């Protein structure tokens, strides 16, 4: 059963997303052979109270092999309460958006929230970007700071982190890779795995399509056939068992 660690549904405010509703996205994933994963709601990224969107996502995913990755802004005073709500509701992970919400990845409030997530056994996904910087024209995204991401992981040793949608050159800035940090394949292009096996172990990657902002089928096609079992299934199982 193939697993997608970076799946989305909903609406994107800067351009029209075709067939982005949850049922439409699940149909597209199943057609691509992906039957489980972590789903995030694009609408929640921009809500003052993201739980208004995420609680509906949790309810609609009930009875499926998918779990919600809830959106949290650690700068909000109710962030910890939101995290506890999500845990009680059955979310599978927490997704942070420093690129959109504009804060340092190792801000003390982020560290505090991520430590709580570790206590609740919820992985934390650090979203490095939502789209190519060249496509931003109304809201300029904040560039990721890989050094701060590493320091965050080191300060929260009991929390599992997944760095999402970084480009190939940025992976080298995460080395040596903290033991509690993984990466997804969103944003990574052809031949990357063959070129970087010496630097980043294959077992530290999870498949991530970042659809519908990226193409599901293209994301799957970029994974070599010999690596699909490990990247799209085995590694996810190991990640959640840690």
């Amino acid at each position: 059963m193939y697993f997608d660690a970076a799946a989305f549904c909903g609406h994107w405010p800067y351009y029209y997303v075709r067939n982005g509703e949850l049922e439409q996205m699940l149909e597209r994933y199943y057609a691509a052979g992906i039957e489980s994963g972590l789903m995030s709601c694009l609408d929640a990224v921009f809500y003052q109270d993201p739980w208004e969107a995420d609680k509906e996502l949790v309810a609609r995913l009930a009875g499926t092999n998918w779990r919600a990755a809830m959106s949290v802004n650690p700068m909000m005073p109710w962030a910890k309460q939101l995290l506890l709500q999500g845990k009680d509701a059955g979310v599978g992970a927490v997704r942070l958006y420093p690129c959109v919400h504009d804060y340092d990845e190792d801000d003390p409030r982020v560290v505090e929230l991520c430590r709580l997530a570790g206590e609740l056994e919820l992985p934390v996904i650090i979203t490095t970007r939502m789209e190519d910087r060249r496509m931003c024209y109304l809201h300029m995204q904040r560039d990721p700071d890989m050094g701060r991401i590493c320091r965050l992981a080191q300060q929260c040793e009991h929390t599992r982190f997944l760095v999402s949608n970084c480009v190939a050159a940025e992976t080298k800035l995460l080395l040596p890779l903290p033991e509690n940090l993984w990466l997804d394949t969103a944003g990574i292009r052809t031949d990357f795995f063959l070129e970087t096996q010496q630097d980043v172990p294959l077992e530290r990657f999870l498949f991530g399509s970042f659809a519908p902002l990226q193409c599901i089928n293209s994301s799957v096609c970029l994974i070599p056939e010999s690596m699909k079992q490990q990247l799209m299934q085995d590694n996810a199982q190991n990640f959640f068992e840690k």
Side-chain angles (χ1 to χ4, degrees), residues 49-66:
D49 182 2
W51 188 241
E52 290 295 326
D54 284 336
K55 66 181 179 183
E56 180 181 354
L57 177 62
V58 172
R60 293 169 68 185
L61 289 176
T64 73
N65 292 320
W66 297 78

Side-chain angles (χ1 to χ4, degrees), residues 5-6 94-96 98 105 123-129 144-153 160-167 170-171 173-175 177-178 180-188 204-208 210 239:
V94 183
R95 185 176 276 275
L96 306 185
E105 291 89 344
V124 175
I125 306 171
I126 305 294
T127 314
T128 58
R129 59 181 52 80
D145 188 317
M146 297 301 170
R148 292 185 183 277
I149 291 175
C150 282
R151 287 193 289 275
L152 172 63
R160 289 160 290 161
F161 290 92
L162 179 64
V163 180
S164 182
N165 203 24
C166 64
V167 298
E170 291 169 340
T171 63
L173 302 177
L174 294 169
L175 301 175
L177 208 62
N180 57 334
L181 190 148
W182 284 257
L183 301 93
D184 70 25
T185 62
I188 295 173
R204 303 297 285 277
F205 281 99
L206 305 184
F207 171 75
F210 226 77
F239 176 73

Side-chain angles (χ1 to χ4, degrees), residues 9-94:
C9 63
H11 310 92
W12 187 240
Y14 305 123
Y15 56 82
Y16 179 62
V17 173
R18 293 175 175 80
N19 303 316
E21 298 297 337
L22 177 61
E23 290 76 12
Q24 295 170 322
M25 290 305 303
L26 290 177
E27 184 177 341
R28 293 168 66 185
Y29 277 114
Y30 293 146
I34 301 169
E35 300 179 5
S36 63
L38 294 172
M39 181 75 70
S40 298
C41 180
L42 291 171
D43 301 74
V45 180
F46 300 95
Y47 284 9
Q48 184 178 24
D49 182 2
W51 188 241
E52 290 295 326
D54 284 336
K55 66 181 179 183
E56 180 181 354
L57 177 62
V58 172
R60 293 169 68 185
L61 289 176
T64 73
N65 292 320
W66 297 78
R67 298 186 70 186
M70 66 182 297
S71 303
V72 179
N73 182 350
M75 302 299 104
M76 295 298 184
W78 54 83
K80 290 194 290 184
Q81 179 182 354
L82 198 64
L83 193 61
L84 293 170
Q85 278 185 297
K87 174 63 176 180
D88 289 342
V91 303
V94 183

